[in-house]
Amino acid sequence: MAVETDPVKIMKQEVGKTAASRVSSGAIVGLGTGSTTAYAIESLGNRLQSGDLKDIVGVPTSFQAEVLAKQYGIPLTTLDAIDRIDVAIDGADEVDPQKNLIKGGGAAHTREKVVDSLAAEFIVVVDSGKLVDRLGSTFLLPVEVIPMAVTPVMRAIEKLGGKPELRMGIKKAGPVVTDQGNLVIDVKFEAIDNPIELEKTLNNLPGVLENGLFVGVANTILVGEIKDGKPTVREIA
């Protein structure tokens, strides 16, 4: 295996490793989606293989997480078969000073919210570029919608002051389709002053399944940074 030299990738690996090191033997682990979380899943697999970690099972939040878990030898289970999740590890697209998040860059936020909200501890893995003073300042807010409701939901979002656009596929003709078979509307809000109210308001629109605001769900934020050319990880508890 080639030795990684890209400082950004090394930093993501370090954040993933740090998160994976918080998992104890016998734990039920929520496995998030995204590039940094992928390193955490890889690290969990390595710990299992070395015997450092025993008897963990994972609950994947996406097809991506499921494929990676299988690749790295992490046994999987479903929410039907368990009564708790001890820890979930997942990324975020934005994190505000109150540890509220915007997620959904990978269009997996609905499953992620189910799993991350159930976890006794939810560890968020990000790089420092994801830290913002206010949610919505750098990232559009994803809203998952059943296909028949796209147009009325977009009209309703415009009335709420948002600028909605249907997320289109890359290397795929047509829109992005979620693991649930739905579509994603990305919304620009000039300011998200009250994330908890906006989360509820959007989820009450008929046809909306879930949106990417995660309010009061995260416990620990692990932030990867590059200082003097070296990757470091700091914790916001």
Side-chain angles (χ1 to χ4, degrees):
M1 197 172 131
V3 176
E4 189 55 70
T5 53
D6 175 357
V8 174
K9 281 194 179 161
I10 295 169
M11 175 194 72
K12 286 185 171 192
Q13 279 175 340
E14 287 305 313
V15 179
K17 247 188 231 172
T18 305
S21 73
R22 307 282 175 95
V23 175
S24 312
S25 290
I28 299 172
V29 188
L31 303 173
T33 307
S35 56
T36 309
T37 315
Y39 288 120
I41 294 172
E42 181 182 6
S43 187
L44 285 171
N46 292 341
R47 287 188 64 202
L48 274 175
Q49 212 169 7
S50 71
D52 175 41
L53 194 60
K54 291 183 174 67
D55 302 325
I56 69 160
V57 288
V59 181
T61 57
S62 62
F63 291 145
Q64 184 216 25
E66 195 175 320
V67 167
L68 284 171
K70 286 174 180 167
Q71 188 180 329
Y72 293 116
I74 301 169
L76 295 176
T77 187
T78 65
L79 293 176
D80 295 331
I82 55 171
D83 59 358
R84 67 177 206 280
I85 295 175
D86 298 301
V87 57
I89 300 170
D90 210 343
D93 299 298
E94 284 190 344
V95 182
D96 77 4
Q98 286 75 46
K99 297 192 286 191
N100 296 321
L101 319 172
I102 284 184
K103 290 175 53 49
H109 55 281
T110 298
R111 287 192 191 188
E112 288 170 342
K113 198 179 277 192
V114 172
V115 171
D116 297 344
S117 301
L118 287 170
E121 187 187 5
F122 173 27
I123 300 172
V124 180
V125 289
V126 289
D127 58 76
S128 56
K130 306 287 171 64
L131 302 179
V132 295
D133 290 332
R134 287 170 77 171
L135 292 180
S137 32
T138 61
F139 203 83
L140 301 176
L141 175 61
V143 180
E144 182 166 348
V145 183
I146 64 170
M148 67 166 284
V150 165
T151 302
V153 167
M154 284 174 92
R155 286 191 193 125
I157 286 171
E158 281 170 356
K159 285 186 184 149
L160 294 172
K163 290 187 185 137
E165 57 184 58
L166 186 61
R167 187 182 300 182
M168 302 307 282
I170 296 168
K171 298 187 180 174
K172 169 200 176 293
V176 167
V177 179
T178 69
D179 288 357
Q180 289 73 246
N182 297 315
L183 304 179
V184 176
I185 296 169
D186 288 311
V187 187
K188 171 70 182 161
F189 285 101
E190 284 315 317
I192 298 177
D193 296 318
N194 191 335
I196 196 159
E197 280 307 311
L198 184 59
E199 182 180 25
K200 286 180 192 161
T201 302
L202 288 170
N203 280 358
N204 274 332
L205 296 175
V208 170
L209 187 59
E210 190 52 86
N211 70 80
L213 283 166
F214 283 52
V215 181
V217 185
N219 301 104
T220 303
I221 317 286
L222 295 177
V223 185
E225 294 171 306
I226 296 170
K227 288 193 171 157
D228 305 324
K230 292 197 174 104
T232 63
V233 180
R234 71 182 166 95
E235 179 175 337
I236 304 171

